[in-house]
Structure formats: structure tokens, C-alpha cells
Amino acid sequence: MKKLLIVVVAFVFASCNQTKIAYVDIEVLMKDYEATKALEIQIKEKQEKMAKELDSIAMPFKLKVQQYYQKAQKMSAQKRAQTEQALQQEQQIIQAQQQQASQVLQQENQENYKAITKKVDSLVESYAKANGYQLILGTSGKGTVMYGDETLNVTKDVLKALNTEFSK
């Protein structure tokens, strides 16, 4: 029985020595991945375009508000109340448009980042299989992996593969 236990323990240690493990720094990977950079540029351009569109909608409203304040003292109380109510309704419509546009942009960004994450995961899996790794850990700075020998850090190799694939 003792011999069997020793053989099992020896087998476990032998199999542990054969496990090939590496880690990838996700922060570095996502920051330096060309697809992420391109997406950030695309997001910024869309935000600027959306801001211009929303400003073009809001500008006439702002002019109406200014005109109201210029004429308010000369208006009757009933006319002021009607004008204020109309302005409040218009403001609510504009705010709803802004909120809807923001939500659409946010959802689009989430879908795009999800696609990038899926691509990264797929490439890491392919990289692991091609290089004989049984396990590749993802870390954010030193958050998940408390210590990792730099020889186990394959971030640069994975990043190079991702950027090569992206440039095609």
C-alpha cells in the first residue's frame, strides 16, 4: 500500500513538471492592440459627430429660451406659463434624444469591445495550442498573478500575433 502511494505521488509530481503555464498582461495587451486603438479612434469620431448633431438640435432651442427671457417681462402671466410649458416639453424631447443617442453609442461600444475580447480569447487559445501551453492566465498588472517569472510572460508574443492578424 505504501509503495502504491509513493508511486501515485511520484506520478503526480512528474505530471506537474510537464504542465506548461504562461500569463498575459491584459492591460498591456488591450492598450497596445491595434484593433483596440482603431476602435477608440472610431468611438471618438462617433462621439464628436453625435455631439455636433445634438448641438445642431439644441441650438435652436437655446435661441428660443433666450428670446423667451428677452420677451418674458412683456408677456402676460398666461402667455409666460404657456411658453414655459412648451419650452419644458421641447427640452424633455431634446434630453430624450441625447439619452437615446448615448445609449445607442454605449451599446455599440460594448458589442465592439466584446468582439475584440472574443478575438483575443480565440487567439490566445490558438497560441497556447500551437506552443504547447496547457494554461495561460490573464492578469491585470499584478492583480491576478501575484508573482510570475518574466519567462512565463507571453504578452508580447500574443500582442504581436494579434496585431499581425489585425493588419491583414
Side-chain angles (χ1 to χ4, degrees):
M1 188 68 172
K2 253 185 178 178
K3 288 181 183 179
L4 181 60
L5 183 61
I6 291 173
V7 169
V8 169
V9 169
F11 180 72
V12 168
F13 280 121
S15 65
C16 286
N17 289 336
Q18 295 173 0
T19 302
K20 195 170 177 186
I21 298 173
Y23 68 94
V24 173
D25 188 333
I26 301 299
E27 279 182 16
V28 171
L29 195 67
M30 295 307 273
K31 183 182 79 157
D32 294 337
Y33 183 25
E34 293 300 324
T36 305
K37 291 178 183 179
L39 178 60
E40 287 172 359
I41 291 169
Q42 180 184 4
I43 289 169
K44 186 175 182 180
E45 289 172 355
K46 283 185 178 184
Q47 286 174 333
E48 289 172 357
K49 181 181 176 186
M50 185 182 298
K52 286 179 184 176
E53 290 173 5
L54 292 173
D55 283 346
S56 70
I57 293 170
M59 189 56 70
F61 172 74
K62 290 177 183 178
L63 291 175
K64 285 181 187 179
V65 170
Q66 287 176 352
Q67 289 171 353
Y68 164 74
Y69 282 120
Q70 290 172 353
K71 298 176 183 178
Q73 292 177 346
K74 298 174 187 173
M75 293 181 179
S76 67
Q78 184 180 2
K79 181 69 174 168
R80 272 197 313 264
Q82 287 175 341
T83 306
E84 287 174 3
Q85 185 176 7
L87 289 173
Q88 284 178 341
Q89 287 175 346
E90 192 173 342
Q91 183 180 23
Q92 288 173 348
I93 291 169
I94 291 171
Q95 287 174 339
Q97 288 173 328
Q98 290 172 332
Q99 187 175 13
Q100 182 182 10
S102 178
Q103 287 174 343
V104 166
L105 187 63
Q106 186 177 17
Q107 183 178 356
E108 213 176 281
N109 292 344
Q110 287 175 342
E111 290 171 6
N112 287 332
Y113 276 112
K114 187 183 277 187
I116 286 176
T117 301
K118 198 172 190 178
K119 179 70 179 169
V120 168
D121 290 347
S122 173
L123 192 127
V124 168
E125 180 181 347
S126 298
Y127 177 86
K129 289 178 180 178
N131 292 286
Y133 289 100
Q134 287 80 29
L135 181 66
I136 294 185
L137 303 169
T139 182
S140 183
K142 294 289 182 186
T144 307
V145 176
M146 296 302 289
Y147 170 78
D149 188 321
E150 276 302 309
T151 60
L152 301 176
N153 187 346
V154 294
T155 304
K156 289 179 184 175
D157 296 336
V158 171
L159 182 61
K160 183 178 177 183
L162 279 168
N163 286 334
T164 299
E165 176 110 0
F166 178 73
S167 65
K168 289 181 184 177

